[in-house]
Amino acid sequence: MPKTNDAALDAFIAAKIEIDAMLARLAAHSADHFGHGPDEVNWGHVC
């Protein structure tokens, strides 16, 4: 009986869904300047 890649495909899709959700959250935070107004940012925010 040949093995199928169904389990691997399911795991890949589940991981991709998680990554896509993380990227969406990151993009939303970036669009909001990570909670800081662009004029308020200083070198202390960089470190």
Side-chain angles (χ1 to χ4, degrees):
M1 177 180 204
K3 287 187 174 183
T4 66
N5 286 330
D6 290 346
L9 180 60
D10 290 345
F12 173 81
I13 291 172
K16 185 184 178 323
I17 289 170
E18 288 182 36
I19 291 167
D20 288 346
M22 285 186 254
L23 288 171
R25 288 192 304 270
L26 184 58
H29 286 299
S30 178
D32 187 38
H33 303 284
F34 296 94
H36 298 283
D39 296 332
E40 299 169 356
V41 175
N42 60 47
W43 282 107
H45 293 96
V46 176
C47 299

